[in-house]
mmCIF file with all atom_site columns, all heavy atoms in Angstrom:
data_model
loop_
_atom_site.group_PDB
_atom_site.id
_atom_site.type_symbol
_atom_site.label_atom_id
_atom_site.label_alt_id
_atom_site.label_comp_id
_atom_site.label_asym_id
_atom_site.label_entity_id
_atom_site.label_seq_id
_atom_site.pdbx_PDB_ins_code
_atom_site.Cartn_x
_atom_site.Cartn_y
_atom_site.Cartn_z
_atom_site.occupancy
_atom_site.B_iso_or_equiv
_atom_site.pdbx_formal_charge
_atom_site.auth_seq_id
_atom_site.auth_comp_id
_atom_site.auth_asym_id
_atom_site.auth_atom_id
_atom_site.pdbx_PDB_model_num
ATOM 1   N N   . GLY A 1 1  ? 117.613 91.431  104.454 1.00 0.00 ? 1  GLY A N   1
ATOM 2   C CA  . GLY A 1 1  ? 118.104 91.506  103.081 1.00 0.00 ? 1  GLY A CA  1
ATOM 3   C C   . GLY A 1 1  ? 117.118 90.899  102.098 1.00 0.00 ? 1  GLY A C   1
ATOM 4   O O   . GLY A 1 1  ? 116.868 91.436  101.013 1.00 0.00 ? 1  GLY A O   1
ATOM 5   N N   . TYR A 1 2  ? 116.538 89.756  102.499 1.00 0.00 ? 2  TYR A N   1
ATOM 6   C CA  . TYR A 1 2  ? 115.554 89.107  101.618 1.00 0.00 ? 2  TYR A CA  1
ATOM 7   C C   . TYR A 1 2  ? 114.294 89.973  101.478 1.00 0.00 ? 2  TYR A C   1
ATOM 8   O O   . TYR A 1 2  ? 113.775 90.143  100.367 1.00 0.00 ? 2  TYR A O   1
ATOM 9   C CB  . TYR A 1 2  ? 115.184 87.736  102.214 1.00 0.00 ? 2  TYR A CB  1
ATOM 10  C CG  . TYR A 1 2  ? 114.107 86.997  101.460 1.00 0.00 ? 2  TYR A CG  1
ATOM 11  C CD1 . TYR A 1 2  ? 114.382 86.399  100.234 1.00 0.00 ? 2  TYR A CD1 1
ATOM 12  C CD2 . TYR A 1 2  ? 112.814 86.898  101.974 1.00 0.00 ? 2  TYR A CD2 1
ATOM 13  C CE1 . TYR A 1 2  ? 113.400 85.731  99.549  1.00 0.00 ? 2  TYR A CE1 1
ATOM 14  C CE2 . TYR A 1 2  ? 111.835 86.226  101.278 1.00 0.00 ? 2  TYR A CE2 1
ATOM 15  C CZ  . TYR A 1 2  ? 112.132 85.635  100.064 1.00 0.00 ? 2  TYR A CZ  1
ATOM 16  O OH  . TYR A 1 2  ? 111.150 84.996  99.390  1.00 0.00 ? 2  TYR A OH  1
ATOM 17  N N   . PHE A 1 3  ? 113.847 90.543  102.574 1.00 0.00 ? 3  PHE A N   1
ATOM 18  C CA  . PHE A 1 3  ? 112.639 91.383  102.537 1.00 0.00 ? 3  PHE A CA  1
ATOM 19  C C   . PHE A 1 3  ? 112.852 92.592  101.637 1.00 0.00 ? 3  PHE A C   1
ATOM 20  O O   . PHE A 1 3  ? 111.994 92.917  100.803 1.00 0.00 ? 3  PHE A O   1
ATOM 21  C CB  . PHE A 1 3  ? 112.283 91.827  103.962 1.00 0.00 ? 3  PHE A CB  1
ATOM 22  C CG  . PHE A 1 3  ? 111.112 92.771  104.032 1.00 0.00 ? 3  PHE A CG  1
ATOM 23  C CD1 . PHE A 1 3  ? 109.831 92.280  104.102 1.00 0.00 ? 3  PHE A CD1 1
ATOM 24  C CD2 . PHE A 1 3  ? 111.302 94.153  104.029 1.00 0.00 ? 3  PHE A CD2 1
ATOM 25  C CE1 . PHE A 1 3  ? 108.753 93.139  104.166 1.00 0.00 ? 3  PHE A CE1 1
ATOM 26  C CE2 . PHE A 1 3  ? 110.228 95.015  104.099 1.00 0.00 ? 3  PHE A CE2 1
ATOM 27  C CZ  . PHE A 1 3  ? 108.954 94.508  104.153 1.00 0.00 ? 3  PHE A CZ  1
ATOM 28  N N   . ILE A 1 4  ? 113.969 93.284  101.780 1.00 0.00 ? 4  ILE A N   1
ATOM 29  C CA  . ILE A 1 4  ? 114.222 94.491  100.997 1.00 0.00 ? 4  ILE A CA  1
ATOM 30  C C   . ILE A 1 4  ? 114.359 94.151  99.512  1.00 0.00 ? 4  ILE A C   1
ATOM 31  O O   . ILE A 1 4  ? 113.873 94.886  98.645  1.00 0.00 ? 4  ILE A O   1
ATOM 32  C CB  . ILE A 1 4  ? 115.471 95.211  101.526 1.00 0.00 ? 4  ILE A CB  1
ATOM 33  C CG1 . ILE A 1 4  ? 115.195 95.767  102.922 1.00 0.00 ? 4  ILE A CG1 1
ATOM 34  C CG2 . ILE A 1 4  ? 115.892 96.340  100.594 1.00 0.00 ? 4  ILE A CG2 1
ATOM 35  C CD1 . ILE A 1 4  ? 116.378 96.418  103.572 1.00 0.00 ? 4  ILE A CD1 1
ATOM 36  N N   . SER A 1 5  ? 114.999 93.019  99.198  1.00 0.00 ? 5  SER A N   1
ATOM 37  C CA  . SER A 1 5  ? 115.130 92.642  97.780  1.00 0.00 ? 5  SER A CA  1
ATOM 38  C C   . SER A 1 5  ? 113.779 92.345  97.167  1.00 0.00 ? 5  SER A C   1
ATOM 39  O O   . SER A 1 5  ? 113.497 92.751  96.020  1.00 0.00 ? 5  SER A O   1
ATOM 40  C CB  . SER A 1 5  ? 116.054 91.448  97.657  1.00 0.00 ? 5  SER A CB  1
ATOM 41  O OG  . SER A 1 5  ? 115.491 90.296  98.280  1.00 0.00 ? 5  SER A OG  1
ATOM 42  N N   . VAL A 1 6  ? 112.896 91.655  97.906  1.00 0.00 ? 6  VAL A N   1
ATOM 43  C CA  . VAL A 1 6  ? 111.560 91.388  97.397  1.00 0.00 ? 6  VAL A CA  1
ATOM 44  C C   . VAL A 1 6  ? 110.760 92.682  97.238  1.00 0.00 ? 6  VAL A C   1
ATOM 45  O O   . VAL A 1 6  ? 110.044 92.891  96.257  1.00 0.00 ? 6  VAL A O   1
ATOM 46  C CB  . VAL A 1 6  ? 110.816 90.402  98.329  1.00 0.00 ? 6  VAL A CB  1
ATOM 47  C CG1 . VAL A 1 6  ? 109.361 90.251  97.904  1.00 0.00 ? 6  VAL A CG1 1
ATOM 48  C CG2 . VAL A 1 6  ? 111.499 89.053  98.316  1.00 0.00 ? 6  VAL A CG2 1
ATOM 49  N N   . LEU A 1 7  ? 110.907 93.598  98.203  1.00 0.00 ? 7  LEU A N   1
ATOM 50  C CA  . LEU A 1 7  ? 110.181 94.863  98.153  1.00 0.00 ? 7  LEU A CA  1
ATOM 51  C C   . LEU A 1 7  ? 110.640 95.701  96.955  1.00 0.00 ? 7  LEU A C   1
ATOM 52  O O   . LEU A 1 7  ? 109.799 96.255  96.222  1.00 0.00 ? 7  LEU A O   1
ATOM 53  C CB  . LEU A 1 7  ? 110.403 95.632  99.457  1.00 0.00 ? 7  LEU A CB  1
ATOM 54  C CG  . LEU A 1 7  ? 109.747 97.013  99.549  1.00 0.00 ? 7  LEU A CG  1
ATOM 55  C CD1 . LEU A 1 7  ? 108.239 96.912  99.378  1.00 0.00 ? 7  LEU A CD1 1
ATOM 56  C CD2 . LEU A 1 7  ? 110.099 97.682  100.866 1.00 0.00 ? 7  LEU A CD2 1
ATOM 57  N N   . ARG A 1 8  ? 111.934 95.807  96.729  1.00 0.00 ? 8  ARG A N   1
ATOM 58  C CA  . ARG A 1 8  ? 112.423 96.589  95.608  1.00 0.00 ? 8  ARG A CA  1
ATOM 59  C C   . ARG A 1 8  ? 112.008 95.972  94.274  1.00 0.00 ? 8  ARG A C   1
ATOM 60  O O   . ARG A 1 8  ? 111.708 96.690  93.310  1.00 0.00 ? 8  ARG A O   1
ATOM 61  C CB  . ARG A 1 8  ? 113.950 96.708  95.702  1.00 0.00 ? 8  ARG A CB  1
ATOM 62  C CG  . ARG A 1 8  ? 114.395 97.719  96.767  1.00 0.00 ? 8  ARG A CG  1
ATOM 63  C CD  . ARG A 1 8  ? 115.897 97.734  96.940  1.00 0.00 ? 8  ARG A CD  1
ATOM 64  N NE  . ARG A 1 8  ? 116.298 98.853  97.810  1.00 0.00 ? 8  ARG A NE  1
ATOM 65  C CZ  . ARG A 1 8  ? 117.478 98.931  98.410  1.00 0.00 ? 8  ARG A CZ  1
ATOM 66  N NH1 . ARG A 1 8  ? 118.370 97.972  98.229  1.00 0.00 ? 8  ARG A NH1 1
ATOM 67  N NH2 . ARG A 1 8  ? 117.762 99.961  99.184  1.00 0.00 ? 8  ARG A NH2 1
ATOM 68  N N   . GLU A 1 9  ? 111.994 94.648  94.201  1.00 0.00 ? 9  GLU A N   1
ATOM 69  C CA  . GLU A 1 9  ? 111.553 94.012  92.974  1.00 0.00 ? 9  GLU A CA  1
ATOM 70  C C   . GLU A 1 9  ? 110.071 94.300  92.704  1.00 0.00 ? 9  GLU A C   1
ATOM 71  O O   . GLU A 1 9  ? 109.666 94.537  91.553  1.00 0.00 ? 9  GLU A O   1
ATOM 72  C CB  . GLU A 1 9  ? 111.801 92.503  93.076  1.00 0.00 ? 9  GLU A CB  1
ATOM 73  C CG  . GLU A 1 9  ? 111.528 91.719  91.813  1.00 0.00 ? 9  GLU A CG  1
ATOM 74  C CD  . GLU A 1 9  ? 110.071 91.309  91.660  1.00 0.00 ? 9  GLU A CD  1
ATOM 75  O OE1 . GLU A 1 9  ? 109.361 91.253  92.698  1.00 0.00 ? 9  GLU A OE1 1
ATOM 76  O OE2 . GLU A 1 9  ? 109.632 91.057  90.526  1.00 0.00 ? 9  GLU A OE2 1
ATOM 77  N N   . ARG A 1 10 ? 109.281 94.309  93.769  1.00 0.00 ? 10 ARG A N   1
ATOM 78  C CA  . ARG A 1 10 ? 107.848 94.604  93.614  1.00 0.00 ? 10 ARG A CA  1
ATOM 79  C C   . ARG A 1 10 ? 107.618 96.036  93.162  1.00 0.00 ? 10 ARG A C   1
ATOM 80  O O   . ARG A 1 10 ? 106.805 96.290  92.281  1.00 0.00 ? 10 ARG A O   1
ATOM 81  C CB  . ARG A 1 10 ? 107.118 94.328  94.935  1.00 0.00 ? 10 ARG A CB  1
ATOM 82  C CG  . ARG A 1 10 ? 105.619 94.588  94.890  1.00 0.00 ? 10 ARG A CG  1
ATOM 83  C CD  . ARG A 1 10 ? 104.952 93.698  93.871  1.00 0.00 ? 10 ARG A CD  1
ATOM 84  N NE  . ARG A 1 10 ? 103.509 93.806  93.926  1.00 0.00 ? 10 ARG A NE  1
ATOM 85  C CZ  . ARG A 1 10 ? 102.685 93.268  93.039  1.00 0.00 ? 10 ARG A CZ  1
ATOM 86  N NH1 . ARG A 1 10 ? 103.162 92.573  92.026  1.00 0.00 ? 10 ARG A NH1 1
ATOM 87  N NH2 . ARG A 1 10 ? 101.370 93.423  93.151  1.00 0.00 ? 10 ARG A NH2 1
ATOM 88  N N   . ILE A 1 11 ? 108.339 96.980  93.761  1.00 0.00 ? 11 ILE A N   1
ATOM 89  C CA  . ILE A 1 11 ? 108.192 98.383  93.391  1.00 0.00 ? 11 ILE A CA  1
ATOM 90  C C   . ILE A 1 11 ? 108.620 98.590  91.945  1.00 0.00 ? 11 ILE A C   1
ATOM 91  O O   . ILE A 1 11 ? 107.977 99.349  91.186  1.00 0.00 ? 11 ILE A O   1
ATOM 92  C CB  . ILE A 1 11 ? 109.019 99.275  94.336  1.00 0.00 ? 11 ILE A CB  1
ATOM 93  C CG1 . ILE A 1 11 ? 108.494 99.153  95.781  1.00 0.00 ? 11 ILE A CG1 1
ATOM 94  C CG2 . ILE A 1 11 ? 108.972 100.718 93.886  1.00 0.00 ? 11 ILE A CG2 1
ATOM 95  C CD1 . ILE A 1 11 ? 107.071 99.593  95.962  1.00 0.00 ? 11 ILE A CD1 1
ATOM 96  N N   . ALA A 1 12 ? 109.707 97.952  91.527  1.00 0.00 ? 12 ALA A N   1
ATOM 97  C CA  . ALA A 1 12 ? 110.221 98.143  90.179  1.00 0.00 ? 12 ALA A CA  1
ATOM 98  C C   . ALA A 1 12 ? 109.306 97.580  89.111  1.00 0.00 ? 12 ALA A C   1
ATOM 99  O O   . ALA A 1 12 ? 109.323 98.070  87.963  1.00 0.00 ? 12 ALA A O   1
ATOM 100 C CB  . ALA A 1 12 ? 111.610 97.519  90.062  1.00 0.00 ? 12 ALA A CB  1
ATOM 101 N N   . ASN A 1 13 ? 108.493 96.590  89.444  1.00 0.00 ? 13 ASN A N   1
ATOM 102 C CA  . ASN A 1 13 ? 107.654 95.942  88.428  1.00 0.00 ? 13 ASN A CA  1
ATOM 103 C C   . ASN A 1 13 ? 106.164 96.104  88.682  1.00 0.00 ? 13 ASN A C   1
ATOM 104 O O   . ASN A 1 13 ? 105.352 95.445  88.036  1.00 0.00 ? 13 ASN A O   1
ATOM 105 C CB  . ASN A 1 13 ? 107.986 94.436  88.364  1.00 0.00 ? 13 ASN A CB  1
ATOM 106 C CG  . ASN A 1 13 ? 109.413 94.182  87.951  1.00 0.00 ? 13 ASN A CG  1
ATOM 107 O OD1 . ASN A 1 13 ? 109.777 94.300  86.799  1.00 0.00 ? 13 ASN A OD1 1
ATOM 108 N ND2 . ASN A 1 13 ? 110.251 93.825  88.923  1.00 0.00 ? 13 ASN A ND2 1
ATOM 109 N N   . PHE A 1 14 ? 105.809 96.984  89.616  1.00 0.00 ? 14 PHE A N   1
ATOM 110 C CA  . PHE A 1 14 ? 104.397 97.101  89.974  1.00 0.00 ? 14 PHE A CA  1
ATOM 111 C C   . PHE A 1 14 ? 103.599 97.761  88.846  1.00 0.00 ? 14 PHE A C   1
ATOM 112 O O   . PHE A 1 14 ? 104.009 98.771  88.286  1.00 0.00 ? 14 PHE A O   1
ATOM 113 C CB  . PHE A 1 14 ? 104.224 97.919  91.250  1.00 0.00 ? 14 PHE A CB  1
ATOM 114 C CG  . PHE A 1 14 ? 102.796 98.047  91.688  1.00 0.00 ? 14 PHE A CG  1
ATOM 115 C CD1 . PHE A 1 14 ? 102.184 97.019  92.372  1.00 0.00 ? 14 PHE A CD1 1
ATOM 116 C CD2 . PHE A 1 14 ? 102.061 99.187  91.395  1.00 0.00 ? 14 PHE A CD2 1
ATOM 117 C CE1 . PHE A 1 14 ? 100.872 97.132  92.782  1.00 0.00 ? 14 PHE A CE1 1
ATOM 118 C CE2 . PHE A 1 14 ? 100.754 99.303  91.791  1.00 0.00 ? 14 PHE A CE2 1
ATOM 119 C CZ  . PHE A 1 14 ? 100.154 98.270  92.481  1.00 0.00 ? 14 PHE A CZ  1
ATOM 120 N N   . THR A 1 15 ? 102.481 97.157  88.548  1.00 0.00 ? 15 THR A N   1
ATOM 121 C CA  . THR A 1 15 ? 101.530 97.701  87.577  1.00 0.00 ? 15 THR A CA  1
ATOM 122 C C   . THR A 1 15 ? 100.155 97.722  88.205  1.00 0.00 ? 15 THR A C   1
ATOM 123 O O   . THR A 1 15 ? 99.702  96.716  88.746  1.00 0.00 ? 15 THR A O   1
ATOM 124 C CB  . THR A 1 15 ? 101.502 96.850  86.294  1.00 0.00 ? 15 THR A CB  1
ATOM 125 O OG1 . THR A 1 15 ? 102.817 96.816  85.730  1.00 0.00 ? 15 THR A OG1 1
ATOM 126 C CG2 . THR A 1 15 ? 100.544 97.443  85.262  1.00 0.00 ? 15 THR A CG2 1
ATOM 127 N N   . ALA A 1 16 ? 99.500  98.876  88.134  1.00 0.00 ? 16 ALA A N   1
ATOM 128 C CA  . ALA A 1 16 ? 98.199  99.016  88.738  1.00 0.00 ? 16 ALA A CA  1
ATOM 129 C C   . ALA A 1 16 ? 97.182  98.132  88.045  1.00 0.00 ? 16 ALA A C   1
ATOM 130 O O   . ALA A 1 16 ? 97.303  97.872  86.826  1.00 0.00 ? 16 ALA A O   1
ATOM 131 C CB  . ALA A 1 16 ? 97.741  100.464 88.721  1.00 0.00 ? 16 ALA A CB  1
ATOM 132 N N   . PRO A 1 17 ? 96.150  97.645  88.739  1.00 0.00 ? 17 PRO A N   1
ATOM 133 C CA  . PRO A 1 17 ? 95.087  96.888  88.094  1.00 0.00 ? 17 PRO A CA  1
ATOM 134 C C   . PRO A 1 17 ? 94.422  97.706  87.002  1.00 0.00 ? 17 PRO A C   1
ATOM 135 O O   . PRO A 1 17 ? 94.381  98.936  87.079  1.00 0.00 ? 17 PRO A O   1
ATOM 136 C CB  . PRO A 1 17 ? 94.110  96.577  89.253  1.00 0.00 ? 17 PRO A CB  1
ATOM 137 C CG  . PRO A 1 17 ? 94.929  96.733  90.490  1.00 0.00 ? 17 PRO A CG  1
ATOM 138 C CD  . PRO A 1 17 ? 95.946  97.790  90.181  1.00 0.00 ? 17 PRO A CD  1
ATOM 139 N N   . PRO A 1 18 ? 93.904  97.051  85.924  1.00 0.00 ? 18 PRO A N   1
ATOM 140 C CA  . PRO A 1 18 ? 93.253  97.792  84.840  1.00 0.00 ? 18 PRO A CA  1
ATOM 141 C C   . PRO A 1 18 ? 92.037  98.565  85.326  1.00 0.00 ? 18 PRO A C   1
ATOM 142 O O   . PRO A 1 18 ? 91.293  98.088  86.189  1.00 0.00 ? 18 PRO A O   1
ATOM 143 C CB  . PRO A 1 18 ? 92.872  96.705  83.838  1.00 0.00 ? 18 PRO A CB  1
ATOM 144 C CG  . PRO A 1 18 ? 92.831  95.436  84.647  1.00 0.00 ? 18 PRO A CG  1
ATOM 145 C CD  . PRO A 1 18 ? 93.866  95.600  85.721  1.00 0.00 ? 18 PRO A CD  1
ATOM 146 N N   . LEU A 1 19 ? 91.856  99.759  84.773  1.00 0.00 ? 19 LEU A N   1
ATOM 147 C CA  . LEU A 1 19 ? 90.731  100.597 85.146  1.00 0.00 ? 19 LEU A CA  1
ATOM 148 C C   . LEU A 1 19 ? 89.459  100.129 84.432  1.00 0.00 ? 19 LEU A C   1
ATOM 149 O O   . LEU A 1 19 ? 89.507  99.555  83.337  1.00 0.00 ? 19 LEU A O   1
ATOM 150 C CB  . LEU A 1 19 ? 91.007  102.060 84.767  1.00 0.00 ? 19 LEU A CB  1
ATOM 151 C CG  . LEU A 1 19 ? 92.181  102.713 85.487  1.00 0.00 ? 19 LEU A CG  1
ATOM 152 C CD1 . LEU A 1 19 ? 92.459  104.086 84.875  1.00 0.00 ? 19 LEU A CD1 1
ATOM 153 C CD2 . LEU A 1 19 ? 91.896  102.856 86.964  1.00 0.00 ? 19 LEU A CD2 1
ATOM 154 N N   . PRO A 1 20 ? 88.269  100.365 85.013  1.00 0.00 ? 20 PRO A N   1
ATOM 155 C CA  . PRO A 1 20 ? 87.016  100.056 84.324  1.00 0.00 ? 20 PRO A CA  1
ATOM 156 C C   . PRO A 1 20 ? 86.880  100.907 83.065  1.00 0.00 ? 20 PRO A C   1
ATOM 157 O O   . PRO A 1 20 ? 87.443  101.990 82.955  1.00 0.00 ? 20 PRO A O   1
ATOM 158 C CB  . PRO A 1 20 ? 85.936  100.390 85.355  1.00 0.00 ? 20 PRO A CB  1
ATOM 159 C CG  . PRO A 1 20 ? 86.611  101.317 86.334  1.00 0.00 ? 20 PRO A CG  1
ATOM 160 C CD  . PRO A 1 20 ? 88.055  100.915 86.368  1.00 0.00 ? 20 PRO A CD  1
ATOM 161 N N   . THR A 1 21 ? 86.119  100.408 82.109  1.00 0.00 ? 21 THR A N   1
ATOM 162 C CA  . THR A 1 21 ? 86.017  101.068 80.813  1.00 0.00 ? 21 THR A CA  1
ATOM 163 C C   . THR A 1 21 ? 84.791  101.950 80.670  1.00 0.00 ? 21 THR A C   1
ATOM 164 O O   . THR A 1 21 ? 84.550  102.480 79.587  1.00 0.00 ? 21 THR A O   1
ATOM 165 C CB  . THR A 1 21 ? 85.977  100.012 79.691  1.00 0.00 ? 21 THR A CB  1
ATOM 166 O OG1 . THR A 1 21 ? 84.891  99.109  79.940  1.00 0.00 ? 21 THR A OG1 1
ATOM 167 C CG2 . THR A 1 21 ? 87.274  99.217  79.683  1.00 0.00 ? 21 THR A CG2 1
ATOM 168 N N   . ASP A 1 22 ? 84.016  102.126 81.742  1.00 0.00 ? 22 ASP A N   1
ATOM 169 C CA  . ASP A 1 22 ? 82.818  102.967 81.618  1.00 0.00 ? 22 ASP A CA  1
ATOM 170 C C   . ASP A 1 22 ? 83.227  104.435 81.642  1.00 0.00 ? 22 ASP A C   1
ATOM 171 O O   . ASP A 1 22 ? 84.354  104.813 81.932  1.00 0.00 ? 22 ASP A O   1
ATOM 172 C CB  . ASP A 1 22 ? 81.814  102.658 82.738  1.00 0.00 ? 22 ASP A CB  1
ATOM 173 C CG  . ASP A 1 22 ? 82.439  102.847 84.116  1.00 0.00 ? 22 ASP A CG  1
ATOM 174 O OD1 . ASP A 1 22 ? 83.668  103.075 84.176  1.00 0.00 ? 22 ASP A OD1 1
ATOM 175 O OD2 . ASP A 1 22 ? 81.705  102.771 85.103  1.00 0.00 ? 22 ASP A OD2 1
ATOM 176 N N   . GLY A 1 23 ? 82.254  105.302 81.372  1.00 0.00 ? 23 GLY A N   1
ATOM 177 C CA  . GLY A 1 23 ? 82.529  106.731 81.294  1.00 0.00 ? 23 GLY A CA  1
ATOM 178 C C   . GLY A 1 23 ? 82.980  107.338 82.595  1.00 0.00 ? 23 GLY A C   1
ATOM 179 O O   . GLY A 1 23 ? 83.676  108.337 82.614  1.00 0.00 ? 23 GLY A O   1
ATOM 180 N N   . ALA A 1 24 ? 82.588  106.754 83.706  1.00 0.00 ? 24 ALA A N   1
ATOM 181 C CA  . ALA A 1 24 ? 82.957  107.319 84.995  1.00 0.00 ? 24 ALA A CA  1
ATOM 182 C C   . ALA A 1 24 ? 84.447  107.251 85.270  1.00 0.00 ? 24 ALA A C   1
ATOM 183 O O   . ALA A 1 24 ? 84.963  107.964 86.113  1.00 0.00 ? 24 ALA A O   1
ATOM 184 C CB  . ALA A 1 24 ? 82.197  106.629 86.114  1.00 0.00 ? 24 ALA A CB  1
ATOM 185 N N   . ALA A 1 25 ? 85.155  106.372 84.554  1.00 0.00 ? 25 ALA A N   1
ATOM 186 C CA  . ALA A 1 25 ? 86.575  106.208 84.809  1.00 0.00 ? 25 ALA A CA  1
ATOM 187 C C   . ALA A 1 25 ? 87.440  106.956 83.803  1.00 0.00 ? 25 ALA A C   1
ATOM 188 O O   . ALA A 1 25 ? 88.662  106.785 83.799  1.00 0.00 ? 25 ALA A O   1
ATOM 189 C CB  . ALA A 1 25 ? 86.934  104.711 84.783  1.00 0.00 ? 25 ALA A CB  1
ATOM 190 N N   . VAL A 1 26 ? 86.842  107.750 82.940  1.00 0.00 ? 26 VAL A N   1
ATOM 191 C CA  . VAL A 1 26 ? 87.650  108.454 81.943  1.00 0.00 ? 26 VAL A CA  1
ATOM 192 C C   . VAL A 1 26 ? 88.653  109.379 82.595  1.00 0.00 ? 26 VAL A C   1
ATOM 193 O O   . VAL A 1 26 ? 89.806  109.468 82.194  1.00 0.00 ? 26 VAL A O   1
ATOM 194 C CB  . VAL A 1 26 ? 86.728  109.240 81.001  1.00 0.00 ? 26 VAL A CB  1
ATOM 195 C CG1 . VAL A 1 26 ? 87.553  110.095 80.038  1.00 0.00 ? 26 VAL A CG1 1
ATOM 196 C CG2 . VAL A 1 26 ? 85.836  108.295 80.210  1.00 0.00 ? 26 VAL A CG2 1
ATOM 197 N N   . ALA A 1 27 ? 88.220  110.078 83.649  1.00 0.00 ? 27 ALA A N   1
ATOM 198 C CA  . ALA A 1 27 ? 89.129  111.038 84.305  1.00 0.00 ? 27 ALA A CA  1
ATOM 199 C C   . ALA A 1 27 ? 90.291  110.349 84.953  1.00 0.00 ? 27 ALA A C   1
ATOM 200 O O   . ALA A 1 27 ? 91.355  110.955 85.125  1.00 0.00 ? 27 ALA A O   1
ATOM 201 C CB  . ALA A 1 27 ? 88.354  111.835 85.350  1.00 0.00 ? 27 ALA A CB  1
#
């Protein structure tokens, strides 16, 4: 129960790391 609650909280609030700002990452 503790594991699933932590997992669902992580999925609900997950934000990907910021992308690099160079031209190669525009796509």
Side-chain angles (χ1 to χ4, degrees):
Y2 176 74
F3 176 86
I4 292 176
S5 65
V6 172
L7 178 59
R8 284 175 171 162
E9 187 275 337
R10 180 60 173 171
I11 297 299
N13 298 284
F14 181 80
T15 301
L19 297 172
T21 56
D22 57 353
V26 174

